[in-house]
Amino acid sequence: MKIVVLAGGTSTEREISIVTGTQVCMALRERGHRAILLDIYCGDDRVEIADAFPETYDVVAAAAYMRSFDEQLREHFDPEREFFGPNVLELCKAADVVFMGLHGSNGEDGKVQAVFDLLKIPYTGSGHLSSAMAMDKGISKQLFWQNGVPTPDGFLLHKSEKRKPLADYGLTFPCVVKPCCGGSSVGVSIPKNEEEYEEALDAAFSYEDMVVVEAYIAGREFSIGVVEGKAYPIIELAPIEGFYDYHNKYAAGSTIETCPAKLSEELTKKMQGYAELAYRVLRLEKYARIDFMMDDAEKMYCLEANTLPGMTPTSLLPQEAAALGMSFADLCEKLIQVSIGKGQEKA
């Protein structure tokens, strides 16, 4: 198949997206597909559409071309510019399917999916509505609260609202403060007193105007991939220091990852059941990853859903697939087949 692996973009997760896209493109090439790597925002004006999916292709060079725009984006990013870069929509239309290697805003939040739905471009992952709901942690938590998905107590706070002491909301320190629509734990803080709480709110509001404040759950952290509504083996995440923040997600050796997680059969089935319920509540499609905490009393809390989880051979979903005997390339192939086998469903 002719496949565009779409990555990069303008979010805080741009670099992680490029890594995902590079690894996926290599894997699909190994499987015989004519896959190309494309930056959704920077595009590629060097490409002739008729010759865009060559038999031989240098994925590493394509990734380097994407990174050549990094400094320019940091210094001269124009928010008023049209989002899709040169040739992006034309190449996506010419492909048999677009593999979504995007992470964060303007990629994982449903906007790109909505455009592709209107243009009838097949793509991997959830549709525009479910992507938008899952990306917004405030909406996700409200849906969890209303539909029996256990999640930490908390509240939403808009930048324009008057701030009150944490105790007025029925919470105690430490708590968790995070932007509603951020990814990779960017902007997340765990304040331990009112002074740190004010600083955490300022930090989160620097990313967006709405934040989630929730109870801090001390315990073990887990993640569960859900593909076609069925939970994969659970992976446990044990950061050597601190919590599972941006550094501990991506710095080699900073987190001990155990898959399958060492849980009883009863707890495993219970957590997988909650993951599948969260998937249904958010109306997710094709595949996603659901994150959990479990306290010392073995009470479980769903934190959030990721509609486009990281896709490198050492990312969480591929590790879970490996526990089922599935190679990274096999998983990439499966996610494509899952996404286009039944036709692109509209959210």
Side-chain angles (χ1 to χ4, degrees):
M1 286 193 292
K2 295 182 294 184
I3 302 172
V4 167
V5 180
L6 206 56
T10 59
S11 82
T12 55
E13 299 175 77
R14 172 178 172 81
E15 174 56 26
I16 305 305
S17 174
I18 294 175
V19 174
T20 281
T22 301
Q23 296 293 329
V24 169
C25 194
M26 287 178 172
L28 293 175
R29 279 270 160 184
E30 291 172 4
R31 293 295 297 257
H33 296 294
R34 296 199 176 192
I36 62 172
L37 184 60
L38 183 65
D39 191 312
I40 190 170
Y41 184 77
C42 301
D44 195 336
D45 56 9
R46 308 168 303 170
V47 178
E48 293 292 336
I49 304 301
D51 303 316
F53 301 91
E55 186 172 347
T56 59
Y57 181 77
D58 190 337
V59 180
V60 173
Y65 180 72
M66 294 174 72
R67 290 190 174 94
S68 71
F69 293 95
D70 288 356
E71 185 173 350
Q72 175 185 333
L73 289 177
R74 283 193 295 268
E75 295 182 358
H76 306 292
F77 173 62
D78 180 5
E80 302 302 320
R81 203 204 81 175
E82 180 179 330
F83 181 69
F84 292 97
N87 280 331
V88 169
L89 290 178
E90 292 79 4
L91 288 167
C92 291
K93 289 177 184 178
D96 296 310
V97 64
V98 175
F99 194 107
M100 300 289 275
L102 298 163
H103 302 313
S105 61
N106 294 326
E108 201 168 354
D109 55 9
K111 295 176 183 177
V112 174
Q113 289 83 351
V115 172
F116 284 178
D117 283 344
L118 289 172
L119 296 177
K120 300 189 182 304
I121 295 173
Y123 57 89
T124 60
S126 286
H128 63 275
L129 179 58
S130 49
S131 294
M133 291 193 299
M135 186 69 184
D136 190 313
K137 297 178 183 66
I139 291 175
S140 295
K141 288 189 74 67
Q142 290 173 325
L143 289 170
F144 291 162
W145 284 326
Q146 294 166 6
N147 291 277
V149 179
T151 192
D153 293 335
F155 60 93
L156 309 180
L157 186 66
H158 192 272
K159 192 173 187 176
S160 63
E161 293 181 59
K162 182 180 179 180
R163 300 182 188 181
K164 297 185 290 185
L166 189 67
D168 288 3
Y169 299 99
L171 296 183
T172 59
F173 293 108
C175 67
V176 178
V177 176
K178 53 190 174 183
C180 266
C181 297
S184 283
S185 299
V186 174
V188 176
S189 303
I190 304 177
K192 299 177 179 62
N193 53 52
E194 285 291 344
E195 182 179 355
E196 291 182 2
Y197 173 58
E198 289 296 326
E199 293 173 354
L201 289 177
D202 290 339
F205 282 133
S206 71
Y207 292 96
E208 56 188 89
D209 291 343
M210 183 73 77
V211 303
V212 172
V213 182
E214 63 185 16
Y216 172 74
I217 307 300
R220 299 164 67 186
E221 186 161 359
F222 304 89
S223 189
I224 310 174
V226 180
V227 180
E228 290 189 291
K230 179 67 175 176
Y232 272 25
I234 302 172
I235 187 167
E236 181 170 3
L237 313 166
I240 294 173
E241 293 184 5
F243 69 103
Y244 197 54
D245 59 4
Y246 187 94
H247 171 79
N248 286 330
K249 279 182 166 81
Y250 302 116
S254 60
T255 298
I256 298 171
E257 298 168 348
T258 305
C259 186
K262 294 179 180 178
L263 291 169
S264 69
E265 183 178 356
E266 180 184 359
L267 288 175
T268 296
K269 289 182 177 179
K270 185 176 182 180
M271 192 178 293
Q272 288 176 323
Y274 281 140
E276 292 170 1
L277 176 59
Y279 183 94
R280 294 193 300 272
V281 164
L282 293 175
R283 298 172 62 183
L284 300 176
E285 306 163 74
K286 314 305 189 278
Y287 62 97
R289 200 192 77 228
I290 318 295
D291 298 336
F292 284 85
M293 291 294 299
M294 186 175 73
D295 64 19
D296 293 339
E298 297 184 341
K299 186 174 181 180
M300 299 171 186
Y301 301 86
C302 184
L303 301 180
E304 62 181 77
N306 298 272
T307 56
L308 292 176
M311 281 292 294
T312 71
T314 57
S315 294
L316 303 183
L317 181 58
Q319 287 188 63
E320 296 173 41
L324 295 173
M326 193 182 305
S327 71
F328 179 71
D330 288 341
L331 176 62
C332 292
E333 183 76 39
K334 180 177 179 64
L335 297 184
I336 287 174
Q337 297 305 324
V338 161
S339 297
I340 68 173
K342 301 175 183 177
Q344 185 67 42
E345 298 173 8
K346 302 297 186 288

